[in-house]
């Protein structure tokens, strides 16, 4: 296919790790005139979102909704639990953990970062040592990212909770599930997570602009101890509204709420376990193809997954390497020729460095199924061939086997 043939005659495919593909029922639900924000359908609809969001998060406690992207939820979670001078511990497996910690620093919070690099999960023995050494309990919270979207590492929250319990440490456990909620299994209450942040544009399949902070009674008690709190970011009225406007501290994000209602109907209609299983199966198909592509005589010239241990890989996003600058070449070729957009690499090299062009990511979160994943993988196979990037054979057949095979 020549670069001049136009791929945009068909439906383009945005396979980046957020925003994710928006389902037609979500788009259709949003295509309407503005509803009344003082009475009627919107009020009942908003009330109905709350139990479904909590079920998704695996919590019976509280949720505050913000008209904000994930960064807003990050800030809200910090604002409601910590004050300047408090100390937090941040075990990091990629750029997003570091960014959350930078936000904490900017709020005057003392940050202790344990950086495990961009291809490793948390080493909890180091976390355990640090918590044990903190006899005065100066660490007020441990901030962790469940799936770090930059590295595609998935971290183990139950194990982190076990380490905190074993140390008898009272710090709050705070989780960023922005990339994982609705994709990878997460059970807030069962896993002993006190605060969890999420946003609507990844596993929740809704245009960016609404985010969530889930919190339990321990976190609410920490909020109650704060000397002052921004009226806007305060999660208390949002989570316990006496009047409808308190949900959002102002005008409701009307159309997002309709979209979210449709998205939650899709998720709970399919069943949360089924949604997790689907993501796991689709991820295995992606990994099988990537492994096959990487089987060449000189592997350093070929494609490689960032995370080598499948047990540590996210089911929502896959970070990949190609020799510089072939990742950028591939992304550009696929977008121009096939209408297929892959994610840029993030946090694995500085954006102005040549190495930056050796990383890319696939989003397989939310509204994705087997034929889309086969289209994504078939597209990549086509690009690798067209650009003569060395790659092993049998990738599509390996992916087909992972899709069609037994669990
Ligand atoms: C996308 C993402 C964020 C940032 O969310 P924004 O909506 O872009 O602010 C934070 N953490 C993780 C893990 C993410 O995937």
């Amino acid at each position: 296919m020549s670069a001049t043939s136009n791929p945009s005659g068909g439906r383009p495919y945005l396979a980046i790790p957020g925003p994710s593909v928006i389902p037609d029922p979500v788009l259709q639900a949003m295509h309407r005139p503005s509803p009344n924000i003082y009475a009627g359908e919107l009020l009942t609809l908003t009330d109905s979102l709350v139990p479904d969001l909590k079920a998704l998060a695996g919590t019976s406690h509280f949720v505050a909704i913000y008209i904000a992207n994930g960064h807003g939820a990050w800030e809200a979670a910090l604002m409601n639990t910590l004050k300047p001078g408090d100390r937090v511990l941040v075990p990091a497996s990629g750029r997003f953990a570091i960014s959350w910690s930078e936000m904490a620093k900017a709020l005057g919070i003392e940050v202790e970062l344990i950086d495990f690099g961009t291809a490793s999960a948390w080493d909890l023995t180091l976390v355990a040592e640090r918590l044990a050494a903190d006899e005065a309990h100066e660490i007020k919270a441990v901030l962790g990212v469940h799936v770090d979207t930059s590295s595609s590492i998935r971290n183990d929250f139950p194990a982190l909770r076990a380490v905190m319990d074993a140390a008898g440490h009272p710090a709050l456990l705070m989780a960023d599930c922005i990339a994982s909620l609705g994709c990878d299994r997460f059970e807030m209450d069962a896993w002993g997570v006190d605060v969890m942040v999420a946003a609507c544009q990844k596993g929740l399949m809704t245009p960016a602009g609404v985010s969530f902070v889930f919190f339990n009674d321990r976190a609410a008690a920490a909020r109650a101890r704060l000397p002052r709190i921004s009226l806007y970011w305060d999660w208390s009225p949002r989570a316990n509204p006496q009047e409808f406007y308190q949900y959002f501290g102002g005008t409701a994000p009307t159309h997002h709420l309709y979209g979210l209602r449709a998205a939650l109907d899709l998720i709970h209609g399919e069943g949360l376990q089924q949604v997790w299983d689907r993501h796991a199966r689709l991820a295995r198909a992606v990994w099988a193809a990537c492994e096959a592509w990487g089987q060449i005589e000189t592997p350093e010239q070929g494609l490689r997954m960032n995370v080598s241990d499948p047990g540590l890989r996210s089911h929502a996003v896959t970070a990949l390497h190609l020799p510089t600058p072939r990742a950028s070449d591939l992304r550009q070729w696929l977008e121009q020729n096939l209408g297929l957009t892959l994610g840029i690499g993030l946090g694995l090299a500085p954006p102005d460095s040549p190495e930056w062009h050796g990383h890319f990511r696939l989003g397989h979160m939310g509204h994705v199924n087997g034929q889309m994943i086969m289209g994504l993988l078939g597209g990549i196979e086509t690009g690798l061939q067209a650009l003569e990037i060395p790659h092993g054979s049998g990738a599509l057949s390996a992916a087909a086997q992972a899709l069609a095979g037994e669990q």
Side-chain angles (χ1 to χ4, degrees):
M1 193 187 299
S2 81
T4 51
S5 66
N6 183 358
S8 59
R11 174 174 285 225
Y13 183 0
L14 185 68
I16 69 175
S20 64
V21 173
I22 305 175
D24 287 343
V26 173
L27 287 171
Q28 283 152 8
M30 298 180 78
H31 191 81
R32 62 174 66 232
S34 278
N36 187 356
I37 58 165
Y38 299 108
E41 185 183 67
L42 187 73
L43 280 55
T44 4
L45 179 142
T46 304
D47 289 338
S48 80
L49 296 175
V50 171
D52 289 350
L53 285 167
K54 289 182 190 173
L56 184 59
T59 185
S60 60
H61 299 281
F62 306 101
V63 60
I65 309 177
Y66 293 91
I67 305 178
N69 57 21
H71 281 72
W74 268 352
E75 181 148 333
L78 299 170
M79 290 284 294
N80 279 278
T81 49
L82 300 157
K83 59 182 186 306
D86 282 350
R87 180 172 290 272
V88 297
L89 185 65
V90 186
S93 303
R95 183 63 228 172
F96 285 92
I98 293 170
S99 296
W100 197 11
S101 79
E102 286 168 350
M103 185 174 261
K105 256 186 226 160
L107 291 170
I109 294 160
E110 301 287 328
V111 171
E112 270 185 53
L113 188 78
I114 313 184
D115 192 348
F116 296 108
T118 53
S120 307
W122 301 327
D123 177 350
L124 290 173
T125 53
L126 294 185
V127 177
E129 276 169 24
R130 181 60 194 99
L131 290 173
D134 182 33
E135 286 172 12
H137 295 159
E138 283 178 356
I139 296 168
K140 300 300 178 208
V142 179
L143 273 49
V145 176
H146 186 216
V147 163
D148 203 299
T149 323
S150 60
S151 60
S152 64
I153 284 278
R154 178 163 44 83
N155 279 307
D156 187 343
F157 268 90
L160 175 53
R161 168 44 76 189
V163 157
M164 293 173 70
D165 288 349
H169 203 292
L172 292 174
L173 178 54
M174 303 187 20
D176 169 350
C177 294
I178 295 173
S180 55
L181 191 67
C183 305
D184 286 279
R185 172 183 292 279
F186 186 85
E187 298 175 70
M188 178 167 166
D189 291 354
W191 293 3
V193 172
D194 299 299
V195 177
M196 188 270 271
V197 301
C200 70
Q201 78 274 25
K202 299 190 184 181
L204 269 76
M205 309 174 286
T206 304
V210 167
S211 54
F212 314 96
V213 181
F214 299 88
F215 60 97
N216 64 12
D217 294 321
R218 290 186 71 226
R223 152 73 191 84
R225 285 193 298 270
L226 291 182
R228 67 185 172 91
I229 178 130
S230 135
L231 205 52
Y232 185 77
W233 291 109
D234 191 356
W235 65 27
S236 311
R238 290 168 185 268
N240 309 288
Q242 305 299 309
E243 304 286 346
F244 180 72
Y245 80 89
Q246 291 179 313
Y247 267 123
F248 307 104
T251 305
T254 51
H255 288 65
H256 272 83
L257 299 175
Y258 281 100
L260 260 180
R261 182 61 270 161
L264 288 166
D265 285 344
L266 285 173
I267 290 172
H268 291 302
E270 182 177 352
L272 196 47
Q273 184 64 51
Q274 284 76 11
V275 169
W276 290 333
D277 291 347
R278 170 167 54 82
H279 280 87
R281 184 177 283 262
L282 297 177
R284 284 197 299 274
V286 170
W287 305 339
C290 292
E291 246 149 50
W293 284 321
Q295 305 279 318
I296 55 174
E297 263 175 44
T298 47
E300 65 282 1
Q301 286 173 19
L303 183 139
R304 180 171 64 77
M305 278 180 275
N306 185 51
V307 182
S308 46
D309 179 351
L312 303 179
R313 289 183 197 144
S314 151
H315 295 157
V317 51
T318 301
L320 296 157
H321 305 282
L322 273 173
T324 299
R326 310 285 14 219
S328 289
D329 294 346
L330 181 68
R331 281 195 305 103
Q332 188 179 359
W333 193 92
L334 290 175
E335 186 157 70
Q336 287 180 351
N337 293 278
L338 301 190
L340 171 60
T341 303
L342 309 183
I344 57 168
L346 210 63
L348 304 179
D352 51 1
S353 67
E355 293 74 42
W356 193 82
H357 299 285
H359 309 286
F360 67 112
R361 292 173 303 157
L362 309 179
H364 33 96
M365 50 176 56
H367 193 56
V368 279
N369 60 24
Q371 56 92 3
M372 294 165 76
I373 292 300
M374 288 309 286
L376 168 66
L377 299 173
I380 295 172
E381 171 96 13
T382 310
L384 292 171
Q385 274 190 33
L387 294 171
E388 296 181 355
I389 297 172
H391 61 280
S393 61
L396 295 182
S397 139
Q401 249 173 44
L403 282 181
E406 296 293 310
Q407 272 293 9

